[in-house]
């Protein structure tokens, strides 16, 4: 009897866990910026069915059962992708119990993957998704030279939100790596080199290792296993580094082990732009950085992105604070003001992060067959006063609500009916 009960429970769980087909939508009349071969389509239409984009164009047949969304006078773009976030891992900066991105223990380094600690019900997720952020790379921020791995998540709900795990390895170099290593940049690089040498030796001598017939390694077995996809070039290594000479050192180490390198930070990346372009190394940067906040960023400048793009470097933008990841569209607008083209700036927050992490076959452009991650904007998304009218993630219309909108709706009536001489939002006793 107990087995029959268990079977019924499992069967019911399977039914309720199964994803339902999304509604069919027709977004009509807007300026559709596909970032694909079709370019920009004026008065265009996008058809969404079963979570996918099924048609894009100026003259598209609209299915009879489609829910129509009038985007006249508005702009339709791919959804924003945060290339390096802590969504679901960091809720309140001053409360350590809500932070799960950093592992201070050195027992695991490369094997540390914070994905299982993600809280998909985090308040940060709806706050950002109603502003157009549809996917994110959630990265480890461990306290070692090798911080750990990361994953790709969708911001549409609490079921099936992890889309790719692991997706990359994250490494800390530069001044932060110098401190971790004991005071010297070369020490940080040598620690990283030793880790990859050990992982390479381990891969070639697994049988001997299993028999305890191989030398001791600097890393645990889970760490050695975790580094294998990087040594095979199957997964990128994202190195946090700013100074031009540090970037060159990182590129040298990547060439030594044939790693798929991505630079994160890159305050002085413009100095070595031609070398980065030649080596096909992408750069994830904050285009608002223009102050010498540290010795390693003395050469920071706001046209960093434009100079890198001109040299042929693949660039993506980040804010560096998941509480306000959505601000990246404003950052992209500032990059335009500093010499980057509008299309390239939009690509830096949508298509390019997808390309860096190998997601561009499913997202990043508005093309037939791709996941329906898109945003209907009230105007130019790179303008400060523009907001998202509608957000779709995997074909689902996202409720345009968050903790912030709920607080606004709760207290706005008090502001509008504020008694004379009383502070704003003072209750009237109702």
């Amino acid at each position: 009897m107990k087995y029959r009960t268990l079977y019924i429970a499992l069967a019911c769980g399977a039914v309720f866990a199964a994803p339902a087909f999304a509604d069919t939508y027709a977004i009509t009349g807007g300026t559709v910026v596909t970032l694909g071969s079709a370019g920009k389509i004026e008065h265009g239409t996008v058809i969404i069915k079963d979570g996918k984009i099924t048609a894009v164009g100026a003259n598209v047949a609209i299915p009879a059962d489609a829910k129509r969304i009038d985007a006249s006078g508005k702009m339709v773009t791919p959804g924003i992708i945060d290339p390096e976030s802590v969504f679901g891992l960091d809720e309140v900066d001053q409360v350590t119990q809500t932070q799960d991105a950093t592992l201070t223990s050195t027992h695991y380094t490369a094997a540390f993957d914070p994905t299982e600690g993600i809280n998909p019900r985090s308040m940060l997720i709806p706050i950002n998704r109603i502003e157009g952020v549809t996917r994110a790379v959630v990265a480890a921020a461990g306290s070692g030279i090798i911080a750990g791995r990361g994953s790709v998540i969708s911001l549409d709900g609490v079921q099936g939100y992890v889309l790719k795990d692991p997706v990359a390895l994250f490494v800390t170099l530069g001044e932060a790596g110098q401190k971790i290593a004991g005071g010297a940049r070369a020490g940080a690089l040598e620690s990283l080199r030793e880790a990859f040498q050990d992982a390479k030796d381990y891969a070639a001598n697994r049988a001997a290792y299993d028999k305890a017939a191989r030398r001791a390694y600097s890393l645990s077995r889970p760490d050695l296993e975790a580094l294998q996809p990087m040594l095979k070039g199957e997964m990128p290594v994202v190195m946090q580094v700013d100074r031009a000479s540090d970037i060159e050192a990182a590129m040298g180490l990547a060439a030594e082990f044939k790693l798929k390198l991505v630079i994160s930070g890159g305050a002085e990346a413009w100095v070595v732009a031609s070398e980065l372009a030649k080596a096909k190394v992408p750069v994830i940067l904050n285009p608002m950085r223009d102050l010498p906040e540290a010795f390693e960023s003395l050469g920071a400048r706001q046209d960093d992105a434009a100079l890198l793009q001109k040299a042929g470097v693949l660039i993506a933008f980040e804010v560096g604070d998941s509480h306000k990841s959505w601000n990246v569209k404003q950052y992209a607008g500032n990059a335009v003001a500093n010499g980057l083209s509008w299309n390239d700036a939009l690509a830096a927050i949508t298509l390019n992060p997808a390309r860096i992490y190998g997601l561009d076959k499913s997202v990043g452009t508005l093309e037939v067959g791709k996941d329906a991650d898109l945003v209907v904007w009230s105007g130019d998304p790179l303008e400060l006063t523009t907001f998202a009218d509608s957000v779709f993630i995997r074909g689902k219309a996202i409720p345009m609500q968050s903790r912030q909108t709920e607080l606004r709706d709760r207290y706005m009536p008090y502001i509008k009916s504020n008694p004379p001489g009383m502070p704003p939002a003072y209750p009237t006793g109702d």
Side-chain angles (χ1 to χ4, degrees):
M1 183 67 180
K2 66 178 181 180
Y3 295 111
R4 181 173 180 270
T5 304
L6 177 60
Y7 175 80
I8 293 172
L10 290 172
C12 290
V15 169
F16 289 116
F21 284 120
D23 292 325
T24 299
Y25 295 92
I27 302 171
T28 64
T31 298
V32 181
V33 184
T34 69
L35 291 182
S37 59
K40 184 185 292 186
I41 304 170
E42 300 292 346
H43 308 293
T45 295
V46 180
I47 304 297
I48 300 171
K49 185 175 183 180
D50 295 336
K52 300 286 185 179
I53 297 173
T54 58
V56 183
N59 298 294
V60 172
I62 299 176
D65 63 339
K67 296 181 179 180
R68 296 190 181 222
I69 296 175
D70 184 8
S72 299
K74 301 175 183 180
M75 195 168 284
V76 186
T77 74
I80 295 171
I81 302 174
D82 189 327
E84 198 171 349
S85 77
V86 288
F87 280 125
L89 298 177
D90 188 347
E91 195 75 17
V92 182
D93 286 344
Q94 302 303 316
V95 181
T96 57
Q97 292 86 346
T98 69
Q99 297 173 8
D100 283 288
T102 303
L103 184 68
T104 56
S105 165
T106 58
H107 183 62
Y108 294 116
T109 55
F112 172 52
D113 187 338
T115 302
E116 288 186 330
I118 292 174
N119 173 19
R121 298 171 180 83
S122 166
M123 294 295 180
L124 272 62
I125 290 176
I127 287 172
N128 281 280
R129 73 185 179 195
I130 67 172
E131 297 281 358
V133 182
T134 56
R135 296 196 185 193
V137 174
V138 179
S143 59
I145 300 298
I146 300 177
R149 296 179 291 176
S151 58
V152 178
I153 67 168
S154 175
L155 273 61
D156 59 343
V158 299
Q159 298 294 331
Y161 58 91
V162 179
L163 304 180
K164 188 175 182 180
D165 179 34
V167 70
L169 181 75
F170 295 87
V171 169
T172 304
L173 294 177
E175 288 184 7
Q178 173 194 40
K179 183 177 180 180
I180 296 169
R185 282 174 163 81
L189 285 163
E190 193 54 40
S191 293
L192 192 55
R193 179 175 286 107
E194 180 184 22
F196 281 116
Q197 286 173 340
D198 283 356
K200 193 173 181 179
D201 187 82
Y202 165 78
N205 298 281
R206 276 192 174 91
Y209 181 89
D210 290 340
K211 296 175 183 178
R214 197 64 185 164
R215 65 176 175 82
Y217 293 126
S218 61
L219 300 178
S220 67
R221 181 168 191 154
D223 290 330
L224 296 168
E225 290 284 1
L227 290 178
Q228 298 309 312
M230 293 77 192
L231 288 172
K232 295 175 183 177
E234 298 171 350
M235 202 173 294
V237 179
V238 182
M239 296 191 185
Q240 178 68 43
V241 63
D242 279 317
R243 198 171 73 178
S245 60
D246 292 339
I247 294 172
E248 290 172 322
M251 291 173 64
L253 189 141
E256 180 181 343
F257 292 98
K258 296 181 173 59
L259 305 176
K260 188 183 292 185
L261 176 64
V262 177
I263 295 297
S264 174
E268 294 186 351
W270 63 272
V271 177
V272 291
S274 59
E275 292 94 323
L276 288 164
K278 184 178 180 180
K280 297 182 180 179
V281 175
V283 177
I284 299 171
L285 69 150
N286 177 339
M288 295 286 283
R289 293 179 69 185
D290 66 343
L291 296 175
E293 57 203 24
F295 279 100
E296 64 183 356
S297 59
L298 291 175
R301 49 191 290 176
Q302 281 197 335
D303 60 351
D304 189 3
L307 294 172
L308 289 169
Q309 180 71 34
K310 184 177 180 180
V313 178
L314 180 64
I315 58 171
F317 294 158
E318 67 171 346
V319 172
D321 181 355
S322 296
H323 290 79
K324 49 187 177 183
S325 175
W326 53 272
N327 264 347
V328 74
K329 64 188 185 72
Q330 178 188 346
Y331 286 24
N334 277 268
V336 174
N338 285 279
L340 191 65
S341 77
W342 189 93
N343 263 30
D344 288 335
L346 181 65
I349 62 176
T350 55
L351 174 58
N352 292 356
R355 292 172 66 189
I356 288 172
Y357 292 106
L359 312 174
D360 51 312
K361 289 184 178 179
S362 58
V363 289
T365 62
L366 302 183
E367 296 179 288
V368 173
K370 291 201 171 182
D371 292 351
D373 282 23
L374 58 87
V375 185
V376 180
W377 302 96
S378 61
D380 181 343
L382 306 190
E383 289 289 344
L384 184 61
T385 56
T386 295
F387 56 88
D389 271 348
S390 303
V391 177
F392 290 84
I393 305 179
R394 294 193 284 183
K396 292 183 285 187
I398 297 302
M400 301 301 283
Q401 297 175 322
S402 71
R403 180 67 171 168
Q404 291 178 342
T405 65
E406 289 172 353
L407 289 169
R408 176 202 65 195
D409 294 343
R410 177 177 179 179
Y411 290 107
M412 186 64 75
Y414 292 132
I415 295 174
K416 290 182 177 179
S417 60
N418 194 59
M422 301 301 289
Y426 193 90
T428 57
D430 54 345

